[in-house]
Amino acid sequence: PVLGRSDATRFVSTELAMSADSMEPVLFIVRAALGQLVDALVRDARAAAAIAITLTLDDGRGATVNAPAHTITREVRPARPMARVAPLFERCRALLDQWKLPAPVCAVTVTVSATAPLVYALLPTRFLHRTPVVAPVGSPTWAAACAWTGIG
């Protein structure tokens, strides 16, 4: 027996009911997708090191049979791998706010394109109310845990 694990690609893909000219529906979908992806990462003791956002555009390029749809992909790479929705979403929002749409969006795919291991740290109950915290090495939470335990 081998204790190997294939790092399967984690992604959430959604088609919009109606094509959107603005980023508002895209942001809504990205936030929900990040929630699902971060939950899956935490279950596997992983953190997101890179998030790729792919928009499928409704510009008629994929209208013919066997023609690929027009897609645009951009990637967000936080300074440190993280497994929290809010900071990942803020980075994705910053990217999407700069993105000029050449055509309406008809589908969104959010992919975790790179991961890193998580480190679990149990802080004293006065900080966490007996809840373990998932913290990547080098994060402020990890630093607080090291300072409290005298490790770092």
Side-chain angles (χ1 to χ4, degrees):
V2 177
L3 292 177
R5 177 179 60 130
S6 66
D7 218 8
T9 303
R10 294 173 177 88
F11 69 94
V12 174
S13 186
T14 304
E15 289 188 24
L16 281 71
M18 293 177 25
S19 296
D21 290 324
S22 70
M23 282 294 181
E24 195 64 35
V26 173
L27 288 169
F28 181 77
I29 290 170
V30 167
R31 180 151 183 112
L34 286 173
Q36 293 177 14
L37 293 168
V38 167
D39 286 347
L41 287 170
V42 170
R43 276 193 306 272
D44 293 340
R46 306 294 293 172
I51 301 288
I53 301 171
T54 302
L55 302 181
T56 303
L57 303 179
D58 188 14
D59 60 358
R61 287 195 198 178
T64 61
V65 178
N66 296 331
H70 182 198
T71 61
I72 301 174
T73 302
R74 299 285 189 273
E75 192 172 67
V76 173
R77 288 189 173 265
R80 292 187 185 106
M82 58 181 66
R84 293 182 47 221
V85 174
L88 285 172
F89 178 68
E90 288 307 315
R91 283 161 180 79
C92 291
R93 170 181 269 172
L95 172 73
L96 292 170
D97 284 345
Q98 298 172 4
W99 207 335
K100 301 299 180 209
L101 293 175
V105 177
C106 62
V108 179
T109 302
V110 180
T111 306
V112 178
S113 51
T115 64
L118 275 181
V119 176
Y120 291 87
L122 182 60
L123 294 177
T125 56
R126 62 189 165 115
F127 294 115
L128 298 176
H129 307 289
R130 300 177 190 204
T131 304
V133 166
V134 177
V137 173
S139 71
T141 304
W142 177 254
C146 290
W148 180 78
T149 59
I151 296 172

